[in-house]
Amino acid sequence: MTSETAAAADAVRADAASVLAAAADAAPALAAMPPRDRARALVAAAEALLAAADELVPLAMAETGLTEPRLRGEIKRTAVQLKLFAEVAAAGEFLDVRLDAADPDFVLGPRPDLRRYLVPLGPVLNFAASNFPFAFSVAGGDTASALAAGCPVVVKAHPGHPRLSDRTAEVLNTALPAGALGVVHGQDEGVAALKDERIAAASFTGSLAGGQALAAIAAARPRPIPFYGELGSLNPVIVTPDALAERASGIADGFAASVSGSAGQLCTKPGLLFVPAGLPAPEAFASVAPHRLLHQGIADGYARRRDEVLGTPGVTVVVEGGVTPDGVTPTLVETDLATLLEHRETLLQEAFGPLSIVVRYTPGEPLGEALTELVEGSLTAGVHVGAGEDSPWLHELVSALRALAGRVLFNGWPTGVAVTPAMQHGGPFPATTNPTITSVGTAAIGRFLRPVVYQDCPPSLLPEPLRDDNPWHVPQHRSPAGESSGWGSLTA
Amino acid sequence: MTSETAAAADAVRADAASVLAAAADAAPALAAMPPRDRARALVAAAEALLAAADELVPLAMAETGLTEPRLRGEIKRTAVQLKLFAEVAAAGEFLDVRLDAADPDFVLGPRPDLRRYLVPLGPVLNFAASNFPFAFSVAGGDTASALAAGCPVVVKAHPGHPRLSDRTAEVLNTALPAGALGVVHGQDEGVAALKDERIAAASFTGSLAGGQALAAIAAARPRPIPFYGELGSLNPVIVTPDALAERASGIADGFAASVSGSAGQLCTKPGLLFVPAGLPAPEAFASVAPHRLLHQGIADGYARRRDEVLGTPGVTVVVEGGVTPDGVTPTLVETDLATLLEHRETLLQEAFGPLSIVVRYTPGEPLGEALTELVEGSLTAGVHVGAGEDSPWLHELVSALRALAGRVLFNGWPTGVAVTPAMQHGGPFPATTNPTITSVGTAAIGRFLRPVVYQDCPPSLLPEPLRDDNPWHVPQHRSPAGESSGWGSLTA
């Protein structure tokens, strides 16, 4: 290393150090900020983001190769997501305030006054994704939910869009409290931040290998911290015989659009389609224009995975597609359950790009059991059913899908994740490192909070959400004295 | 190993295998059981436990050395806890049902019908504690909350009370569905169960070293699972100058009772007492009768820790106590903040037994800062304040206590944990491996559930809690179409 590059590396490290220090300094004030004020800051940040769209979208196009319509939609989605978490903050239900009155006559002896709520964990480190430069990056859902919770955020920028990451942070910081949002660059800086004792939790969206490595680092700290990784997902979709008989070509078109959108670089891309007979209309796949992949690492990985799949005995090519200097075009192959089982190590790994595998099954065979045996935890699992279709076979299949995924969807495609209170984006390992949480939807805020209870606290020392005069106007759930002994009605 | 002991070991392993198989077999039926039926089973189990008290309490006394009044109280508490989780199950709020209506006019484009609830994770492995043979063992809170969630439970019995563990399971199993509760014995069997792919989550109450070792095993599985460990805790308590002036002898008596109860073998024992001047009345400590420790391993570990503390320069003995063949008597030592800082490796480790350290501080010095620097995550942190006392110093101190603990208590002692909706029993590492959860109180059920959302599901395929006709009569939280665009009022 020359002295010049060493000096540059030191400067980067100094920059990362100042970002971490700023986040730690900002934590107490952000935690003490009334949620409605946090909400106003998030709404202002969303509006600043939208106002900068004409600058940020072209920057994102240049750095990621994603299309303008896709990125215009994504920046709007990202702003809506910031506003949704503003709503969550303002509503105050996320604090889960529980006030249990003192009870001198409690069945186990006098019970103290207990007042519980959720407090922010502290500075959150967010490893941004490559494939959503807005919605899962600096301004994305992890950032929005952590800020709403009252945690400062340090984003480890994805190297696929470094300039966009910096500019996005600058735009948001016109609206956010000082120190609430910072950006660091570089793998070494990211790992150093993950080991830094000021970081209280981390989130990650990316590859299985990357997520597992970071999860191990988080767990090996002297003080381990919560690590929320969203890793790989195969997103199996099953087409029943009735559904195929009713609308084969519509299903084939929808499948092609879902596999090839954003060049298949989506964690919810359907990687497996189970059909009882041949799927018509491969034309929908064959007519997709070439699309640049996000960066060279993804392009190399995709080419390798595609070669492996195409070279597996028992796999036949439906649409060959390919990898060219102009980008990739979709590849569709077909096989059967026996081949999938025999070559599971090759065929049942995620291909991050526009490749999917059609699997023939025999109607009536216990497909639910086969899926349970074959497919690991997934973000989503889908089924296309006929109108009014209902059978024990179908119920068993749906139960199997529920066991392996966080979202079970019907007559649709897994790509395109609605941002709403009920959304669940997470699933059994390896979909996420922790199946009890979600990274999309309002419940995502719960990742960055921990409960604290005040016992017999004098009124003047209570935090605002726990006070009887409730100055923050948050929902308070009260358990009066004597209430928790009404279980007589349950006696057998 | 002789062939006889080898055969015995094989028999034990065969037994553990059958327990795991039974739990896995029971999982689907328990998950499908309406929560009110689960609740009835839990109430019946609680009543069976109470009905067997005259048999179980003497067995517990013989195996643990704990006193009859303590164990009679504990078995009652354990039954109340089972009934409390029956209430939680019956109320159905734990399912967190969220129904988001389809919205064709959603700001980001048509939104599907989304229906989300929480489903049981599957079989839970519960490593029982030594020090609560009822309340944190076979019939304890981890078991009650997992069963209420719909998860079968495999308890790794603590070797300190093996016969009680088996008998407790037999008693509960007169009321529980087949396979819902099983017991395995032995460290090897426990580790094997933790690695078994049928186990979906694990809970643990015990030592820091043991919990860290098991957490690492859970994380290193091919499919990692949630691991909830409750490890060590120092439970600092601060006495303000005003409080000491008002009621020094009452504080001294309460402190002695809290440190010496159950021979100090409680995770909430106050291990550090910060006082601005000498504490009166060491007689309360000196008059405590000898108490047998739970088992030889704890006795050996306690003797070692006590020797280390007594041998530390700068530590003076207030009440020497000791370890005799009849049991232990409390040991109280005194030191200052500087010594605590200098010998933190020795003095700031938990001593599992009746030893506590009194630390002198200087009134007005920034004690909150010192605590933040010195004390790691703790289950509890307490402060005794004067009547009407209020000052910036006190507010800062309380903020520091909140940062390091899950329960902040005032004018009381941390031992004796109320089982109520608002209770929080958990804290930053090393108090628990995951600061976002609790192992006592109704929120403990959340550890064993994961969210699943159904998207555009035909009515006949919906699970009961998500159906519009709501056959389980559970609370359903609805977001109508058009509702999530009302953030205009937040616009800056």
Side-chain angles (χ1 to χ4, degrees):
Chain A
M1 195 185 282
T2 67
S3 64
E4 270 173 48
T5 57
D10 282 348
V12 170
R13 277 191 286 274
D15 194 51
S18 74
V19 167
L20 282 168
D25 288 348
L30 202 59
M33 194 176 185
R36 282 168 192 272
D37 292 346
R38 274 183 227 155
R40 283 190 196 90
L42 286 169
V43 169
E47 289 173 358
L49 186 71
L50 286 177
D54 288 344
E55 176 204 347
L56 298 178
V57 167
L59 192 50
M61 289 167 66
E63 289 195 310
T64 67
L66 295 170
T67 65
E68 178 165 2
R70 150 67 201 267
L71 290 166
R72 292 253 171 218
E74 187 184 333
I75 199 169
K76 187 174 173 191
R77 171 187 163 175
T78 305
V80 166
Q81 191 161 254
L82 284 160
K83 290 181 176 182
L84 185 67
F85 279 104
E87 283 190 336
V88 170
E93 188 62 65
F94 78 99
L95 293 165
D96 192 21
V97 174
R98 304 176 184 210
L99 307 183
D100 294 355
D103 186 350
D105 302 319
F106 188 59
V107 59
L108 299 177
R111 197 177 80 176
D113 177 278
L114 290 165
R115 295 164 185 254
R116 179 187 196 265
Y117 75 135
L118 303 183
V119 301
L121 280 175
V124 168
L125 177 63
N126 163 17
F127 288 86
S130 62
N131 59 341
F132 281 91
F134 295 112
F136 286 81
S137 190
V138 173
D142 288 344
T143 295
S145 54
L147 290 173
C151 300
V153 176
V154 175
V155 178
K156 163 28 186 92
H158 194 279
H161 50 272
R163 288 191 299 144
L164 177 68
S165 299
D166 283 336
R167 274 303 290 147
T168 303
E170 286 165 11
V171 168
L172 294 186
N173 275 326
T174 61
L176 296 174
L181 178 65
V183 174
V184 301
H185 294 272
Q187 184 169 321
D188 291 350
E189 279 72 10
V191 168
L194 185 58
K195 293 178 176 173
D196 192 289
E197 67 172 11
R198 291 166 293 189
I199 291 295
S203 58
F204 168 86
T205 307
S207 71
L208 180 58
Q212 285 187 294
L214 294 173
I217 291 169
R221 288 166 47 119
R223 296 181 201 175
I225 54 172
F227 180 86
Y228 305 109
E230 189 214 308
L231 314 180
S233 189
L234 286 174
N235 307 300
V237 177
I238 292 86
V239 182
T240 70
D242 285 9
L244 195 67
E246 282 176 20
R247 44 184 204 280
S249 74
I251 288 171
D253 289 349
F255 178 51
S258 188
V259 169
S260 60
S262 300
Q265 301 166 108
L266 300 174
C267 48
T268 53
K269 182 205 73 182
L272 293 169
L273 186 78
F274 294 83
V275 291
L279 197 69
E283 303 78 37
F285 274 87
S287 61
V288 175
H291 191 301
R292 188 187 120 192
L293 292 178
L294 287 157
H295 57 78
Q296 197 57 45
I298 285 177
D300 294 344
Y302 176 69
R304 252 195 324 271
R305 282 285 301 128
R306 181 175 169 278
D307 288 347
E308 283 170 6
V309 171
L310 291 177
T312 302
V315 167
T316 60
V317 174
V318 181
V319 177
E320 186 162 1
V323 182
T324 73
D326 291 339
V328 295
T329 53
T331 294
L332 190 65
V333 301
E334 188 176 305
T335 191
D336 54 29
L337 275 170
T339 304
L340 211 57
L341 184 60
E342 187 180 353
H343 298 285
R344 57 196 304 170
E345 300 298 331
T346 312
L347 299 179
L348 292 173
Q349 283 181 43
E350 185 178 0
F352 199 70
L355 180 151
S356 193
I357 301 176
V358 174
V359 185
R360 291 269 204 123
Y361 71 90
T362 305
E365 74 181 322
L367 187 56
E369 278 180 32
L371 288 167
T372 302
E373 163 69 18
L374 280 168
V375 183
E376 290 198 288
S378 203
L379 291 168
T380 74
V383 55
H384 288 262
V385 299
E389 187 177 350
D390 199 354
S391 70
W393 178 87
L394 184 56
H395 278 267
E396 194 186 305
L397 176 65
V398 172
S399 290
L401 299 184
R402 178 178 59 198
L404 65 83
R407 179 160 56 111
V408 182
L409 67 150
F410 296 79
N411 302 326
W413 300 98
T415 48
V417 183
V419 182
T420 84
M423 181 44 72
Q424 170 60 20
H425 194 65
F429 190 89
T432 44
T433 55
N434 181 336
T436 69
I437 56 88
T438 181
S439 65
V440 178
T442 57
I445 195 172
R447 295 174 295 170
F448 304 119
L449 297 160
R450 71 176 176 94
V452 173
V453 65
Y454 280 62
Q455 177 173 323
D456 287 335
C457 182
S460 69
L461 294 171
L462 279 171
E464 289 85 348
L466 303 184
R467 281 164 46 181
D468 286 334
D469 65 344
N470 195 3
W472 283 4
H473 306 288
V474 297
Q476 295 180 327
H477 303 281
R478 290 175 183 273
S479 299
E483 192 169 73
S484 272
S485 46
W487 47 63
S489 62
L490 286 168
T491 306
Chain B
M1 197 185 280
T2 66
S3 63
E4 268 172 48
T5 57
D10 282 348
V12 169
R13 274 191 287 276
D15 194 50
S18 74
V19 167
L20 283 167
D25 288 348
L30 203 59
M33 194 176 185
R36 282 168 192 271
D37 292 346
R38 274 182 227 156
R40 283 191 195 91
L42 286 168
V43 169
E47 289 173 356
L49 185 71
L50 286 177
D54 287 344
E55 176 203 346
L56 298 178
V57 166
L59 192 50
M61 290 168 65
E63 288 195 310
T64 67
L66 295 170
T67 65
E68 178 165 3
R70 150 69 201 266
L71 290 166
R72 292 253 171 218
E74 187 184 335
I75 198 169
K76 187 174 173 190
R77 170 186 164 176
T78 305
V80 166
Q81 191 161 256
L82 284 161
K83 290 181 177 182
L84 185 67
F85 280 104
E87 282 190 335
V88 170
E93 189 62 66
F94 78 98
L95 293 166
D96 192 22
V97 174
R98 305 178 183 208
L99 308 183
D100 293 356
D103 187 350
D105 302 319
F106 188 59
V107 60
L108 297 177
R111 198 177 78 175
D113 177 278
L114 290 166
R115 294 163 185 257
R116 179 188 197 265
Y117 74 136
L118 303 183
V119 300
L121 281 175
V124 168
L125 177 63
N126 163 15
F127 289 86
S130 62
N131 59 342
F132 281 91
F134 295 112
F136 286 81
S137 190
V138 173
D142 288 343
T143 295
S145 54
L147 290 173
C151 300
V153 175
V154 175
V155 178
K156 158 46 180 82
H158 195 281
H161 50 272
R163 287 190 300 143
L164 178 68
S165 299
D166 282 335
R167 273 303 290 147
T168 304
E170 286 165 9
V171 167
L172 294 185
N173 274 326
T174 61
L176 296 174
L181 178 64
V183 174
V184 300
H185 294 272
Q187 184 169 321
D188 291 349
E189 280 72 11
V191 168
L194 184 58
K195 292 178 175 174
D196 192 290
E197 66 172 13
R198 291 167 294 189
I199 292 295
S203 59
F204 168 86
T205 307
S207 71
L208 181 57
Q212 285 187 293
L214 293 174
I217 291 169
R221 288 167 47 120
R223 297 181 200 174
I225 54 172
F227 180 86
Y228 305 109
E230 189 215 308
L231 313 180
S233 188
L234 286 174
N235 308 300
V237 177
I238 292 86
V239 182
T240 71
D242 284 9
L244 194 67
E246 283 177 20
R247 45 183 203 282
S249 75
I251 289 172
D253 288 349
F255 179 51
S258 187
V259 169
S260 60
S262 301
Q265 301 167 109
L266 300 175
C267 48
T268 52
K269 182 206 71 179
L272 294 169
L273 186 78
F274 293 82
V275 290
L279 198 67
E283 304 77 36
F285 274 88
S287 61
V288 175
H291 191 303
R292 188 187 121 193
L293 292 177
L294 287 158
H295 57 79
Q296 197 55 45
I298 285 178
D300 294 343
Y302 176 69
R304 253 195 323 271
R305 283 285 301 129
R306 181 175 169 278
D307 287 346
E308 284 171 6
V309 170
L310 291 177
T312 302
V315 168
T316 59
V317 174
V318 181
V319 177
E320 186 162 1
V323 181
T324 73
D326 290 339
V328 294
T329 53
T331 295
L332 190 66
V333 301
E334 187 175 305
T335 190
D336 55 28
L337 274 170
T339 304
L340 211 56
L341 184 60
E342 189 180 350
H343 298 285
R344 56 195 304 170
E345 301 298 331
T346 312
L347 298 179
L348 292 172
Q349 282 181 43
E350 185 178 359
F352 199 70
L355 180 150
S356 193
I357 301 175
V358 174
V359 185
R360 291 269 204 125
Y361 70 90
T362 306
E365 76 180 323
L367 187 57
E369 277 179 32
L371 288 167
T372 302
E373 163 69 17
L374 280 169
V375 183
E376 290 198 288
S378 205
L379 290 168
T380 75
V383 57
H384 288 262
V385 299
E389 184 176 352
D390 198 355
S391 70
W393 178 87
L394 184 56
H395 277 267
E396 195 186 304
L397 176 66
V398 172
S399 290
L401 298 184
R402 179 179 57 198
L404 66 82
R407 178 158 58 111
V408 182
L409 66 150
F410 296 79
N411 301 326
W413 301 98
T415 47
V417 183
V419 181
T420 84
M423 180 45 70
Q424 171 61 20
H425 193 66
F429 190 89
T432 44
T433 54
N434 182 336
T436 69
I437 57 89
T438 181
S439 65
V440 179
T442 58
I445 194 172
R447 295 176 295 169
F448 305 118
L449 296 159
R450 71 177 175 92
V452 173
V453 65
Y454 280 63
Q455 177 173 324
D456 286 336
C457 182
S460 69
L461 294 171
L462 280 171
E464 288 85 349
L466 303 184
R467 281 164 46 181
D468 285 334
D469 64 344
N470 195 3
W472 284 3
H473 305 289
V474 296
Q476 295 180 326
H477 302 280
R478 290 175 183 272
S479 298
E483 193 169 74
S484 271
S485 47
W487 46 63
S489 61
L490 288 167
T491 306

